[in-house]
Amino acid sequence: MTRDQYCRTAGAEVEGYNEPSVNSHVNGEYAKINWDVLGFGLIPTDYMYIMNCSKDQHFSQGTLTPFGKIEVNPSSGILNYGQGLFEGLKAHRTANGRILLFRPEENAMRMKVGAKRMCMQAPTVEQFVNAVKQTVHSNKRWVPPPGKGAMYIRPLLMGSGPVLGVAPASEYTFITYASPVGNYHKGVLNLIVEEKFRRAIPGGTGGVKAVTNYAIIYKPIAEAKAKGFTDVLFLNAEKYIEEVSTTNIFLVKGNEILTPPTSGTILPGITRKSIIEITHVLGYQTTSARYYEVEQITLTRWYELELMTMWYELEQITSTRWYELEQTTSTRCYELEEITSTRYLLIVKERAIPVGELFDAEEVFCTGTAVGVNSVNSITYQDTRIAYKRGAGTVGQKLYEMLTGIQTGRIEDKMGWTVELD
């Protein structure tokens, strides 16, 4: 398939591809594609980054090479036994032309955890982040203009050495490549609960980003799309919510934001983690602390009054103490009222969520690198369709705006999450 065919398949029309010059990624020019019609599909860029290592050794210094085919031994661990992991992260171009990566060290650490589970050698965090930086820098002209999409970076770790028996590969290859992308889902998100197939089982690899986790969900996704749904929501054997095919899930119910715990069958998403941390910054858990503060102050003041034994002193102090108490209470109540109006009194909880709670939720949203924060329009369970709030004023929309604002440089990154490309 030619590069033009790749790009058309991915949803972006090529206006005439020019082979990159030595300085094409330095002088700031954009690749010649139609940025307004980006989909989520592979558009081959200029370079990829490759590192290799032998079993029980460390990865050597990697190299940039033109994007293209690689040679793989027919008896390699990845082809025969699925010994492989991948990651996904994005680079965004800001309004003033900077390029920002979002929490690449988190992806590096997650790959190390996955590699341990899959008996693989993994690059160090420093090697991983350096590979991502070099990949993005060498393909800079493919980072979309502000507001047109993002560059999706795919680090891939695979058992590349030959192996015939069931055993870890003797060699490992780490590759990082990239592609400009638009939205993962087009239009509104309508899910169906999958009751027959399981995405993961206890003790399996659902908690790491193993390549073997994904082919098994093709069939239920295909069946769901044939019925007009966008994606699938998976349950565990006890009918508790787990995750959508490639994303974590959150429910807004009353004054709670609920999400299932990542207890081995659910991937610990980096976007999921970021959203939980953002809710803390927004003060969604300050309500209980404020109530406690008011209650403690009230009890303390009453205790002081009870200790007064002289009627005269009591009478004099009572008026003073009551005044102080009244002032303190009104101040605290004012603070509480302010918090109520701005913080929504929401509390984030990671707990098991029975499927029946879908009927009680006001909002549902999904999180992931590819989708960001995507509000769910509806979920269908056993032929019953449940609709949810979306759009302006919803919790999901506010979290989306905060997250994307940090990722794109529109909001100051006080969390230290973004890494600017040199």
Side-chain angles (χ1 to χ4, degrees):
M1 183 180 286
T2 66
R3 188 179 297 263
D4 284 10
Q5 288 172 324
Y6 262 124
C7 293
R8 290 193 178 98
T9 300
E13 183 179 353
V14 175
E15 298 177 353
Y17 171 75
N18 296 321
E19 287 298 329
S21 64
V22 174
N23 295 317
S24 65
H25 58 284
V26 177
N27 61 22
E29 69 182 61
Y30 285 108
K32 294 181 179 179
I33 66 172
N34 186 347
W35 298 105
D36 293 322
V37 293
L38 279 179
F40 198 93
L42 178 64
I43 299 177
T45 52
D46 300 326
Y47 298 99
M48 58 185 180
Y49 187 91
I50 300 180
M51 288 194 298
N52 295 287
C53 85
S54 299
K55 186 178 179 181
D56 299 326
Q57 301 296 315
H58 298 294
F59 273 92
S60 59
Q61 181 66 36
T63 58
L64 283 169
T65 185
F67 182 87
K69 297 178 180 180
I70 60 171
E71 289 188 1
V72 180
N73 193 303
S75 63
S76 63
I78 183 68
L79 293 183
N80 287 261
Y81 301 114
Q83 192 186 23
L85 296 159
F86 71 89
E87 282 294 329
L89 63 159
K90 284 181 177 177
H92 292 86
R93 195 184 295 270
T94 69
N96 60 3
R98 297 180 300 144
I99 295 177
L100 301 178
L101 301 172
F102 187 71
R103 309 191 78 172
E105 73 288 343
E106 291 286 338
N107 294 89
M109 290 187 287
R110 188 169 66 180
M111 177 168 276
K112 287 179 71 68
V113 172
K116 185 176 181 180
R117 174 66 179 84
M118 302 289 284
C119 298
M120 305 173 72
Q121 302 300 114
T124 65
V125 171
E126 293 75 18
Q127 286 176 319
F128 182 104
V129 174
N130 177 63
V132 169
K133 286 182 175 180
Q134 290 205 43
T135 303
V136 175
H137 189 267
S138 63
N139 295 298
K140 238 162 109 171
R141 69 197 192 113
W142 295 94
V143 180
K148 301 294 185 180
M151 171 172 277
Y152 184 85
I153 306 113
R154 169 58 59 82
L156 174 64
L157 178 64
M158 59 182 180
S160 52
V163 57
L164 187 59
V166 179
S170 57
E171 298 173 4
Y172 296 92
T173 299
F174 176 77
I175 301 175
T176 305
Y177 64 93
S179 174
V181 297
N183 293 330
Y184 188 81
H185 292 297
K186 297 289 187 181
V188 296
L189 192 57
N190 295 302
L191 307 178
I192 184 170
V193 176
E194 175 57 53
E195 298 188 79
K196 180 172 61 172
F197 295 102
R198 300 279 178 262
R199 178 193 167 273
I201 59 172
T205 58
V208 300
K209 210 164 176 66
V211 297
T212 49
N213 292 345
Y214 293 86
I216 60 173
I217 64 175
Y218 293 167
K219 184 176 178 60
I221 291 175
E223 291 180 355
K225 290 186 174 181
K227 297 175 183 176
F229 297 101
T230 315
D231 213 330
V232 172
L233 173 59
F234 288 95
L235 308 176
N236 67 12
E238 287 75 39
K239 302 294 185 181
Y240 284 87
I241 292 169
E242 294 233 305
E243 60 181 279
V244 182
S245 60
T246 58
T247 62
N248 296 118
I249 191 165
F250 289 78
L251 279 66
V252 180
K253 179 184 174 184
N255 71 329
E256 297 178 334
I257 302 176
L258 306 175
T259 190
T262 54
S263 53
T265 57
I266 298 174
L267 184 72
I270 293 161
T271 307
R272 174 189 182 276
K273 178 180 180 179
S274 302
I275 287 298
I276 292 173
E277 291 173 5
I278 286 173
T279 63
H280 294 166
V281 172
L282 291 176
Y284 285 173
Q285 290 187 309
T286 60
T287 302
S288 57
R290 292 299 187 189
Y291 271 124
Y292 179 77
E293 207 172 330
V294 172
E295 184 179 5
Q296 287 299 101
I297 290 170
T298 303
L299 289 174
T300 301
R301 296 304 187 191
W302 272 107
Y303 181 69
E304 288 179 8
L305 284 176
E306 286 180 338
L307 290 179
M308 305 304 173
T309 56
M310 298 297 292
W311 281 105
Y312 175 76
E313 288 182 352
L314 181 59
E315 183 178 1
Q316 291 298 105
I317 294 170
T318 299
S319 60
T320 304
R321 294 302 189 187
W322 269 111
Y323 176 75
E324 289 179 6
L325 180 60
E326 184 179 4
Q327 289 298 102
T328 303
T329 304
S330 61
T331 301
R332 294 303 182 188
C333 286
Y334 175 75
E335 290 179 11
L336 190 59
E337 184 179 359
E338 286 295 291
I339 292 165
T340 302
S341 61
T342 58
R343 304 304 192 192
Y344 315 104
L345 300 181
L346 290 174
I347 302 170
V348 181
K349 290 185 178 179
E350 298 180 67
R351 67 164 174 82
I353 306 173
V355 65
E357 291 196 37
L358 291 173
F359 292 96
D360 304 324
E362 292 97 47
E363 288 181 53
V364 176
F365 58 88
C366 299
T367 64
T369 297
V371 303
V373 179
N374 196 353
S375 292
V376 174
N377 183 58
S378 72
I379 298 178
T380 298
Y381 176 55
Q382 294 182 343
D383 297 325
T384 300
R385 182 180 181 275
I386 313 144
Y388 301 103
K389 296 178 183 177
R390 298 172 55 249
T394 60
V395 174
Q397 183 65 25
K398 292 178 185 297
L399 293 172
Y400 166 81
E401 291 169 359
M402 177 66 77
L403 178 70
T404 57
I406 293 171
Q407 290 174 328
T408 59
R410 296 194 309 271
I411 294 175
E412 181 184 356
D413 177 18
K414 296 181 180 180
M415 311 292 285
W417 286 344
T418 55
V419 176
E420 184 171 353
L421 199 66
D422 298 330

